[in-house]
Structure formats: structure tokens, C-alpha cells
Amino acid sequence: MSEVRLVIFDMDGLMFDTERIAIEAWRIAGGQLGYEIPPSMSGETIGLDRHGTEKLFMERLGPSFPYREARRLRIEHANRMIETEGVPVKSGLYALLDFLDGAGVKKAVATSTERTRAQRLLTLAKIDARFDAILCGDDVSNGKPCPDIFLAAARRLDCDPAACMVLEDSQSGLVAAHRAGMLPVLIPDLKRPPKSLNPLIFMEFASLDQVQSHLKTAWLRAPEHGAIRLP
């Protein structure tokens, strides 16, 4: 029996369908600077903080790659896409938040992105006030796959890591959740993490709708305010 008292949400690719936007924005930014940044390359940055992303690009594109300028252009293009199309919210997010509110289970965001961008997206999606804590990449020294950001969320909300469920779409996020001693739940986005990670995964769902349905069924079996007991 696993007890869940805190659900920690990743952001990009989990709550928001923004990974596709980021990949296209990297492609455009690279082209402006004379570099090819294919989806296969930018896709490897999913779940990494900006330092991990910079390291990967410098290794792949060489020490002369103007990462900071490319990142500035990428952010500019991504922001323009979101301003035009709005924040692409994943199906089931609002229903899941509503259910957790009703069950009295705490909620946190733990994203590798910097606070300025995270706060903007959460505000545009009108969910910035729905979390008990919001932890961002610039709040910790070591990004995912290190467990720091998840452990910080648990400390902030005074919750035992063993009673924390982490909703993630990326390989680095799943590894970080496992290292934190939490319950890693996979909801794949653009690319499912390799099968070698399967032993680390507590549960896997195709969507947030399925997560909500599963948690609600478990809670209705033994309703307790503030906790969900999973077999």
C-alpha cells in the first residue's frame, strides 16, 4: 500500500504541450545563426535545466556555438507562438487539479525552467494560484536528474518523500523522482523514455485524464482527506 499526500507536477510536456513549440523554436533560432538544430537534438534537452541544455548543445555543435544568443532567439520565437496560439494545456489537467483539491491532497510544481517563464505560463493558463508550492530550475543548484528540486518541494510542504507522487514525461525527471525516494509516474509526451527505465516507474498512464480516473477510483475506495491510498 502506497500513501500519496503530495502530487508533484512537471510542467513542459506534462501540463503544457510546449515541447513541440520549444523544438520548433530551437530549429528556427539555429537557422538564423547558421546552425542546424534538428528535433532529434533539441528533443534530448527535454527535462534538462538551462545549464544541462547548454552543455549538450556545446558538445554537439562545438565550442563556438553562440548558445546564449540562440537561447534568446528560441525564447523570443516560443513566446510569439504562445501569444498567438495561447498556452496549449494538456487534456485532463484541470479535472485532475479539481479532484486533488476535493481530496485535500497537496500539489506542487517542480520544473526545470526558470521562474520567470514558468510563472508566465502558469498565469496564462490560470493555474498559478492552484499549487501549494512552485519550484523552478533557478531555485536549486543541481537540476534533474538530480533529486534536488523534488526534495525541495517535499521540504517546503513538510511531506515525507515516500508519500510524494511525481508526474513526469522525461527520462531525467523520472530518474530524479526515483533518486528522491518518491513514486515516479510516467505520462509520455513526444518520446517515451527508454524501456531500461521501466524498473524505476511506479505507474504509467497515457494521459492526465487516466491519472485522475485512477486516483479518484482509489480514493473513493477509502476516502481520507489529505491522502490517497494506492494498492
Side-chain angles (χ1 to χ4, degrees):
M1 181 73 71
S2 298
E3 183 178 78
V4 177
R5 293 188 173 273
L6 168 62
V7 177
I8 303 177
F9 292 71
D10 178 42
M11 189 178 74
D12 292 295
L14 188 283
M15 291 195 289
F16 305 140
D17 192 13
T18 45
E19 301 293 11
R20 290 173 177 80
I21 292 175
I23 286 172
E24 176 62 10
W26 273 122
R27 185 190 68 79
I28 296 171
Q32 286 183 264
L33 298 171
Y35 289 84
E36 181 181 1
I37 304 179
S40 58
M41 185 186 302
S42 52
E44 290 185 48
T45 68
I46 292 174
L48 300 179
D49 62 11
R50 62 181 178 179
H51 302 296
T53 298
E54 179 177 7
K55 180 181 178 182
L56 186 145
F57 277 137
M58 300 305 286
E59 289 174 351
R60 298 296 178 82
L61 298 174
S64 61
F65 175 65
Y67 174 77
R68 292 186 179 180
E69 176 63 10
R71 182 174 179 273
R72 185 190 68 78
L73 290 171
R74 192 271 295 171
I75 292 172
E76 184 179 287
H77 290 301
N79 285 344
R80 188 175 299 120
M81 291 180 209
I82 289 172
E83 287 168 5
T84 301
E85 304 169 15
V87 180
V89 177
K90 287 289 191 88
S91 174
L93 175 61
Y94 295 121
L96 177 55
L97 293 176
D98 289 343
F99 162 70
L100 294 173
D101 283 343
V105 175
K106 294 179 181 179
K107 307 177 301 299
V109 175
T111 174
S112 295
T113 196
E114 62 276 7
R115 181 165 294 277
T116 301
R117 177 176 177 273
Q119 194 65 51
R120 177 173 175 270
L121 292 178
L122 293 168
T123 300
L124 287 172
K126 296 180 170 52
I127 58 173
D128 54 310
R130 300 203 60 178
F131 294 93
D132 300 287
I134 297 173
L135 281 295
C136 302
D138 38 12
D139 292 326
V140 293
S141 299
N142 301 304
K144 304 171 188 177
C146 293
D148 301 34
I149 195 165
F150 292 136
L151 292 173
R155 285 195 300 270
R156 179 82 59 87
L157 296 175
D158 193 26
C159 187
D160 182 349
C164 297
M165 172 178 281
V166 177
L167 306 182
E168 269 285 355
D169 66 292
S170 72
Q171 176 175 339
S172 59
L174 291 170
V175 172
H178 175 74
R179 289 175 175 173
M182 299 180 178
L183 302 172
V185 175
L186 171 63
I187 302 95
D189 186 34
L190 295 179
K191 182 178 69 173
R192 188 193 185 281
K195 291 183 178 180
S196 60
L197 260 67
N198 284 0
L200 309 186
I201 298 171
F202 177 65
M203 290 188 291
E204 178 175 348
F205 298 97
S207 68
L208 294 175
D209 293 289
Q210 290 187 5
V211 175
Q212 188 265 351
S213 178
H214 184 83
L215 294 181
K216 184 175 182 179
T217 298
W219 186 76
L220 288 174
R221 287 197 194 104
E224 176 185 340
H225 191 74
I228 300 172
R229 302 187 187 283
L230 299 172

